[in-house]
Amino acid sequence: QCSYIPPCARDDQENSENVTYKQKYWKEKVGSQPFTCYFNQHLRPDDVMLKRTHDEAVLLHCFLWPLVTLLVGVLIVLLTICAKSLAVKAEALQKRKHA
């Protein structure tokens, strides 16, 4: 069985109204009908969600952008090292020509 706890507000009256509204909704709309909910049976089987808060696209963005940032940073470092190496080689080549 699944249950829902609405988010708490600072005002007790507002909390009470939210709970009353949800109780009325569940009794009238859902009643004893089965409905889909999401839970993790291995980690915390007692904690359930009515709706998923994050889908695969959100997870993709959470991992994609830090990875892209890391790769761009590594690329900048590698290009800097290559540029320095080429500058040293060019300087050595010029010294040989003038000597």
Side-chain angles (χ1 to χ4, degrees):
Q1 290 185 353
C2 294
S3 61
Y4 173 75
I5 300 172
C8 291
R10 291 187 182 265
D11 182 24
D12 288 338
Q13 180 65 28
E14 189 177 340
N15 284 331
S16 179
E17 289 171 3
N18 283 338
V19 170
T20 304
Y21 172 77
K22 292 296 180 182
Q23 283 177 335
K24 184 178 176 185
Y25 171 81
W26 285 102
K27 285 179 184 174
E28 291 176 2
K29 302 285 182 182
V30 179
S32 62
Q33 299 175 24
F35 60 92
T36 303
C37 64
Y38 302 96
F39 70 101
N40 185 342
Q41 66 185 29
H42 302 293
L43 215 57
R44 300 176 78 176
D46 295 337
D47 291 350
V48 296
M49 299 183 306
L50 180 60
K51 297 178 185 173
R52 285 187 177 179
T53 54
H54 305 298
D55 59 355
E56 290 80 16
V58 172
L59 293 175
L60 175 71
H61 285 284
C62 287
F63 289 106
L64 176 69
W65 295 118
L67 180 63
V68 167
T69 304
L70 176 69
L71 291 176
V72 167
V74 168
L75 182 64
I76 289 171
V77 169
L78 289 176
L79 288 174
T80 304
I81 291 170
C82 288
K84 184 177 180 182
S85 172
L86 287 175
V88 168
K89 286 181 182 179
E91 189 176 328
L93 191 62
Q94 277 189 350
K95 283 183 181 179
R96 270 194 231 155
K97 283 183 179 180
H98 291 305

